[in-house]
Amino acid sequence: MEVLVQTNNLTKRYGQHRSVNNVNLSVKKGEIYGLIGRNGAGKTTVLRLISGLARPTEGDVCLFGQNSHDTIYAQNRVGVLIENPGIYPNMSARENVKLKCLAKGISSKGYIAELLECVGLPTADKKKVKHFSVGMKQRLGIALALVGNPELVLLDEPINGLDPQGMVEIREIITRLNEDRGITFIVSSHILGELSKIATCYGIIDKGEMKKQILKTELTEDLEEYFFSLTGGVSHD
């Protein structure tokens, strides 16, 4: 199976602190890769390095078999939703997506409506985003990440702060896009119960270091128990 993402000794230092330390990660085409770790473990930094939003101090990232920082082509095949969605609150969902489409040079008829339908926002194309719920904003963020039809999508804590219904909606969107469009996902989260319902494999990161990569089918115990066995038990910080 084709490897879409490969990191080699990926390291990011901020001063003397190593936020990410020699991380080797491999993601194959068609996977939903769950990047698991406590808050502050380095998940967001890894995603920023993969997406090109940050440059590594050491090591490198290969996307689609090419060094990610040597070609815009590879980066254009990646959709990103890291930290807060980059949305304009006084604009509607349609206007936000249209702006992203203009930046990408996309003007296909019906394209915006199709994206909004895909993430469950077909009737919210005129409502200002500042009136959206947290879940609606996250779904709009995913729609923006999908502009340009990426083959790989990076989602950073997409269910954080959502109510149970919102979690289900995001989970269903990711699963449907993976199955129907063949999109590969890297999804970071510290909410193990939710991530275990969609991920096909896991990368467990702790204190900036990759502890283990494992397929879901290889797990012989509960994901939470496995996570704590690798990272030293329940944190009381």
Side-chain angles (χ1 to χ4, degrees), residues 90-105:
N90 287 317
M91 296 170 66
S92 68
R94 168 175 283 276
E95 290 168 336
N96 271 275
V97 176
K98 183 178 181 179
L99 198 62
K100 181 72 175 287
C101 287
L102 288 172
K104 289 271 190 177

Side-chain angles (χ1 to χ4, degrees), residues 40-143:
K43 303 185 302 297
T44 298
T45 303
V46 168
L47 293 184
R48 288 177 61 83
L49 291 168
I50 292 173
S51 68
L53 293 175
R55 294 187 70 89
T57 306
E58 299 170 19
D60 56 68
V61 178
C62 286
L63 296 175
F64 310 98
Q66 303 177 61
N67 187 295
S68 67
H69 297 295
D70 289 342
T71 173
I72 296 176
Y73 173 69
Q75 291 291 345
N76 284 339
R77 298 162 72 183
V78 181
V80 179
L81 175 55
I82 296 179
E83 298 172 331
N84 295 321
I87 55 181
Y88 295 91
N90 287 317
M91 296 170 66
S92 68
R94 168 175 283 276
E95 290 168 336
N96 271 275
V97 176
K98 183 178 181 179
L99 198 62
K100 181 72 175 287
C101 287
L102 288 172
K104 289 271 190 177
I106 298 169
S107 58
S108 303
K109 185 177 180 180
Y111 187 84
I112 296 173
E114 180 185 355
L115 277 183
L116 294 176
E117 175 76 32
C118 183
V119 298
L121 294 174
T123 61
D125 60 342
K126 295 181 180 179
K127 183 178 180 181
K128 289 186 177 181
V129 173
K130 64 182 178 181
H131 300 303
F132 279 15
S133 66
V134 175
M136 291 173 71
K137 289 177 181 177
Q138 282 297 89
R139 282 183 276 149
L140 176 56
I142 293 175

Side-chain angles (χ1 to χ4, degrees), residues 97-194:
V97 176
K98 183 178 181 179
L99 198 62
K100 181 72 175 287
C101 287
L102 288 172
K104 289 271 190 177
I106 298 169
S107 58
S108 303
K109 185 177 180 180
Y111 187 84
I112 296 173
E114 180 185 355
L115 277 183
L116 294 176
E117 175 76 32
C118 183
V119 298
L121 294 174
T123 61
D125 60 342
K126 295 181 180 179
K127 183 178 180 181
K128 289 186 177 181
V129 173
K130 64 182 178 181
H131 300 303
F132 279 15
S133 66
V134 175
M136 291 173 71
K137 289 177 181 177
Q138 282 297 89
R139 282 183 276 149
L140 176 56
I142 293 175
L144 292 171
L146 293 174
V147 172
N149 304 315
E151 298 170 53
L152 171 69
V153 173
L154 313 179
L155 301 178
D156 184 30
E157 301 278 5
I159 58 175
N160 201 24
L162 301 186
D163 60 23
Q165 179 62 35
M167 290 183 183
V168 170
E169 290 168 350
I170 297 297
R171 189 171 73 224
E172 290 178 344
I173 290 169
I174 294 171
T175 301
R176 185 173 67 253
L177 290 169
N178 175 257
E179 293 176 350
D180 295 349
R181 298 194 182 189
I183 296 175
T184 302
F185 284 90
I186 304 178
V187 183
S188 80
S189 185
H190 64 277
I191 305 175
L192 306 189
E194 280 299 309

Side-chain angles (χ1 to χ4, degrees), residues 16 28 46 102 110 114 118 150 167 183 204 218 221 226 228:
Q16 297 301 311
K28 295 181 176 64
V46 168
L102 288 172
E114 180 185 355
C118 183
M167 290 183 183
I183 296 175
I204 298 175
E218 295 175 340
E221 58 187 301
Y226 186 73
F228 287 127

Side-chain angles (χ1 to χ4, degrees), residues 205-237:
I205 189 170
D206 188 51
K207 298 176 183 175
E209 297 184 354
M210 182 65 73
K211 294 297 184 181
K212 186 75 174 180
Q213 291 188 107
I214 187 170
L215 294 173
K216 184 175 184 177
T217 55
E218 295 175 340
L219 271 178
T220 58
E221 58 187 301
D222 178 78
L223 177 60
E224 186 176 273
E225 293 177 358
Y226 186 73
F227 172 80
F228 287 127
S229 72
L230 288 175
T231 61
V234 179
S235 173
H236 297 288
D237 294 344

